[in-house]
mmCIF file of all heavy atoms in Angstrom:
data_model
loop_
_atom_site.group_PDB
_atom_site.id
_atom_site.type_symbol
_atom_site.label_atom_id
_atom_site.label_comp_id
_atom_site.label_asym_id
_atom_site.label_seq_id
_atom_site.Cartn_x
_atom_site.Cartn_y
_atom_site.Cartn_z
ATOM 1 N N ILE C 5 139.584 62.899 55.953
ATOM 2 C CA ILE C 5 138.453 62.733 55.041
ATOM 3 C C ILE C 5 138.510 63.798 53.960
ATOM 4 O O ILE C 5 138.679 64.987 54.259
ATOM 5 C CB ILE C 5 137.119 62.834 55.814
ATOM 6 C CG1 ILE C 5 137.049 61.706 56.862
ATOM 7 C CG2 ILE C 5 135.934 62.731 54.861
ATOM 8 C CD1 ILE C 5 135.860 61.818 57.800
ATOM 9 N N GLN C 6 138.360 63.375 52.716
ATOM 10 C CA GLN C 6 138.355 64.307 51.601
ATOM 11 C C GLN C 6 137.095 64.104 50.765
ATOM 12 O O GLN C 6 136.615 62.982 50.610
ATOM 13 C CB GLN C 6 139.579 64.097 50.699
ATOM 14 C CG GLN C 6 140.892 64.507 51.338
ATOM 15 C CD GLN C 6 142.042 64.433 50.353
ATOM 16 O OE1 GLN C 6 142.941 63.604 50.487
ATOM 17 N NE2 GLN C 6 142.023 65.316 49.355
ATOM 18 N N SER C 7 136.610 65.209 50.230
ATOM 19 C CA SER C 7 135.478 65.118 49.312
ATOM 20 C C SER C 7 135.573 66.213 48.261
ATOM 21 O O SER C 7 136.174 67.274 48.526
ATOM 22 C CB SER C 7 134.161 65.247 50.092
ATOM 23 O OG SER C 7 134.040 66.540 50.679
ATOM 24 N N PRO C 8 135.076 65.978 47.067
ATOM 25 C CA PRO C 8 134.613 64.672 46.600
ATOM 26 C C PRO C 8 135.789 63.758 46.308
ATOM 27 O O PRO C 8 136.938 64.180 46.317
ATOM 28 C CB PRO C 8 133.863 65.035 45.312
ATOM 29 C CG PRO C 8 134.618 66.219 44.789
ATOM 30 C CD PRO C 8 135.036 67.007 46.005
ATOM 31 N N ARG C 9 135.552 62.504 46.036
ATOM 32 C CA ARG C 9 136.626 61.577 45.660
ATOM 33 C C ARG C 9 137.002 61.741 44.195
ATOM 34 O O ARG C 9 138.168 61.566 43.831
ATOM 35 C CB ARG C 9 136.201 60.135 45.930
ATOM 36 C CG ARG C 9 135.976 59.819 47.397
ATOM 37 C CD ARG C 9 137.307 59.860 48.191
ATOM 38 N NE ARG C 9 138.335 59.069 47.564
ATOM 39 C CZ ARG C 9 138.450 57.759 47.701
ATOM 40 N NH1 ARG C 9 137.603 57.090 48.450
ATOM 41 N NH2 ARG C 9 139.433 57.109 47.103
ATOM 42 N N HIS C 10 136.018 62.075 43.398
ATOM 43 C CA HIS C 10 136.254 62.315 41.981
ATOM 44 C C HIS C 10 135.495 63.569 41.572
ATOM 45 O O HIS C 10 134.376 63.806 42.024
ATOM 46 C CB HIS C 10 135.773 61.129 41.125
ATOM 47 C CG HIS C 10 136.422 59.832 41.477
ATOM 48 N ND1 HIS C 10 137.618 59.417 40.943
ATOM 49 C CD2 HIS C 10 136.042 58.852 42.335
ATOM 50 C CE1 HIS C 10 137.932 58.233 41.434
ATOM 51 N NE2 HIS C 10 137.002 57.870 42.292
ATOM 52 N N GLU C 11 136.136 64.353 40.703
ATOM 53 C CA GLU C 11 135.504 65.574 40.213
ATOM 54 C C GLU C 11 135.869 65.741 38.747
ATOM 55 O O GLU C 11 137.049 65.735 38.395
ATOM 56 C CB GLU C 11 135.991 66.788 41.010
ATOM 57 C CG GLU C 11 135.440 68.119 40.547
ATOM 58 C CD GLU C 11 134.039 68.381 41.044
ATOM 59 O OE1 GLU C 11 133.731 67.984 42.174
ATOM 60 O OE2 GLU C 11 133.263 68.996 40.296
ATOM 61 N N VAL C 12 134.851 65.848 37.920
ATOM 62 C CA VAL C 12 135.058 66.124 36.499
ATOM 63 C C VAL C 12 134.370 67.439 36.195
ATOM 64 O O VAL C 12 133.180 67.606 36.497
ATOM 65 C CB VAL C 12 134.489 65.000 35.605
ATOM 66 C CG1 VAL C 12 134.735 65.336 34.135
ATOM 67 C CG2 VAL C 12 135.115 63.661 35.954
ATOM 68 N N THR C 13 135.097 68.359 35.611
ATOM 69 C CA THR C 13 134.534 69.676 35.355
ATOM 70 C C THR C 13 135.085 70.211 34.041
ATOM 71 O O THR C 13 136.077 69.710 33.510
ATOM 72 C CB THR C 13 134.869 70.649 36.501
ATOM 73 O OG1 THR C 13 134.116 71.852 36.351
ATOM 74 C CG2 THR C 13 136.349 70.996 36.508
ATOM 75 N N GLU C 14 134.432 71.214 33.537
ATOM 76 C CA GLU C 14 134.878 71.830 32.291
ATOM 77 C C GLU C 14 135.801 73.007 32.575
ATOM 78 O O GLU C 14 135.668 73.681 33.611
ATOM 79 C CB GLU C 14 133.670 72.296 31.477
ATOM 80 C CG GLU C 14 132.813 71.152 30.956
ATOM 81 C CD GLU C 14 131.670 71.640 30.092
ATOM 82 O OE1 GLU C 14 131.397 72.861 30.085
ATOM 83 O OE2 GLU C 14 131.037 70.801 29.418
ATOM 84 N N MET C 15 136.675 73.225 31.663
ATOM 85 C CA MET C 15 137.610 74.340 31.770
ATOM 86 C C MET C 15 136.851 75.634 32.050
ATOM 87 O O MET C 15 135.815 75.902 31.439
ATOM 88 C CB MET C 15 138.406 74.472 30.471
ATOM 89 C CG MET C 15 139.449 75.551 30.477
ATOM 90 S SD MET C 15 140.450 75.541 28.987
ATOM 91 C CE MET C 15 139.255 76.015 27.775
ATOM 92 N N GLY C 16 137.377 76.417 32.994
ATOM 93 C CA GLY C 16 136.763 77.688 33.330
ATOM 94 C C GLY C 16 135.852 77.643 34.536
ATOM 95 O O GLY C 16 135.518 78.690 35.104
ATOM 96 N N GLN C 17 135.454 76.436 34.933
ATOM 97 C CA GLN C 17 134.576 76.293 36.080
ATOM 98 C C GLN C 17 135.364 76.388 37.388
ATOM 99 O O GLN C 17 136.567 76.129 37.440
ATOM 100 C CB GLN C 17 133.836 74.966 36.028
ATOM 101 C CG GLN C 17 132.903 74.823 34.836
ATOM 102 C CD GLN C 17 131.802 75.863 34.855
ATOM 103 O OE1 GLN C 17 131.081 76.007 35.842
ATOM 104 N NE2 GLN C 17 131.675 76.622 33.767
ATOM 105 N N GLU C 18 134.643 76.745 38.439
ATOM 106 C CA GLU C 18 135.245 76.771 39.776
ATOM 107 C C GLU C 18 135.175 75.380 40.398
ATOM 108 O O GLU C 18 134.156 74.692 40.273
ATOM 109 C CB GLU C 18 134.499 77.760 40.655
ATOM 110 C CG GLU C 18 135.005 77.822 42.091
ATOM 111 C CD GLU C 18 134.247 78.841 42.919
ATOM 112 O OE1 GLU C 18 134.366 80.044 42.624
ATOM 113 O OE2 GLU C 18 133.553 78.437 43.870
ATOM 114 N N VAL C 19 136.258 74.992 41.041
ATOM 115 C CA VAL C 19 136.326 73.690 41.705
ATOM 116 C C VAL C 19 136.680 73.904 43.173
ATOM 117 O O VAL C 19 137.592 74.681 43.482
ATOM 118 C CB VAL C 19 137.405 72.791 41.061
ATOM 119 C CG1 VAL C 19 137.546 71.487 41.822
ATOM 120 C CG2 VAL C 19 137.075 72.522 39.595
ATOM 121 N N THR C 20 135.968 73.247 44.060
ATOM 122 C CA THR C 20 136.273 73.323 45.487
ATOM 123 C C THR C 20 136.478 71.920 46.045
ATOM 124 O O THR C 20 135.596 71.066 45.948
ATOM 125 C CB THR C 20 135.151 74.024 46.260
ATOM 126 O OG1 THR C 20 134.997 75.354 45.770
ATOM 127 C CG2 THR C 20 135.504 74.098 47.747
ATOM 128 N N LEU C 21 137.653 71.713 46.620
ATOM 129 C CA LEU C 21 137.978 70.437 47.248
ATOM 130 C C LEU C 21 137.956 70.639 48.763
ATOM 131 O O LEU C 21 138.364 71.693 49.265
ATOM 132 C CB LEU C 21 139.376 69.972 46.811
ATOM 133 C CG LEU C 21 139.652 69.995 45.297
ATOM 134 C CD1 LEU C 21 141.054 69.480 45.010
ATOM 135 C CD2 LEU C 21 138.608 69.225 44.526
ATOM 136 N N ARG C 22 137.519 69.607 49.477
ATOM 137 C CA ARG C 22 137.318 69.739 50.918
ATOM 138 C C ARG C 22 138.103 68.697 51.692
ATOM 139 O O ARG C 22 138.338 67.593 51.199
ATOM 140 C CB ARG C 22 135.831 69.614 51.242
ATOM 141 C CG ARG C 22 134.988 70.712 50.605
ATOM 142 C CD ARG C 22 133.499 70.482 50.782
ATOM 143 N NE ARG C 22 132.713 71.579 50.232
ATOM 144 C CZ ARG C 22 132.445 71.736 48.943
ATOM 145 N NH1 ARG C 22 132.884 70.858 48.057
ATOM 146 N NH2 ARG C 22 131.725 72.775 48.530
ATOM 147 N N CYS C 23 138.472 69.082 52.898
ATOM 148 C CA CYS C 23 139.276 68.186 53.731
ATOM 149 C C CYS C 23 138.903 68.366 55.197
ATOM 150 O O CYS C 23 138.760 69.488 55.690
ATOM 151 C CB CYS C 23 140.760 68.476 53.535
ATOM 152 S SG CYS C 23 141.848 67.531 54.641
ATOM 153 N N LYS C 24 138.785 67.228 55.864
ATOM 154 C CA LYS C 24 138.614 67.222 57.317
ATOM 155 C C LYS C 24 139.793 66.475 57.912
ATOM 156 O O LYS C 24 139.947 65.275 57.679
ATOM 157 C CB LYS C 24 137.311 66.527 57.699
ATOM 158 C CG LYS C 24 137.100 66.388 59.203
ATOM 159 C CD LYS C 24 135.768 65.713 59.495
ATOM 160 C CE LYS C 24 135.638 65.293 60.955
ATOM 161 N NZ LYS C 24 135.852 66.402 61.887
ATOM 162 N N PRO C 25 140.657 67.166 58.666
ATOM 163 C CA PRO C 25 141.837 66.494 59.214
ATOM 164 C C PRO C 25 141.477 65.607 60.396
ATOM 165 O O PRO C 25 140.344 65.635 60.892
ATOM 166 C CB PRO C 25 142.720 67.664 59.664
ATOM 167 C CG PRO C 25 141.728 68.737 60.021
ATOM 168 C CD PRO C 25 140.595 68.583 59.049
#
Side-chain angles (χ1 to χ4, degrees):
Chain C
I5 298 173
Q6 291 187 247
S7 65
R9 295 292 309 278
H10 302 273
E11 178 80 36
V12 180
T13 190
E14 293 183 347
M15 183 174 67
Q17 297 298 306
E18 177 179 294
V19 176
T20 299
L21 311 181
R22 298 173 177 79
C23 174
K24 176 179 168 55

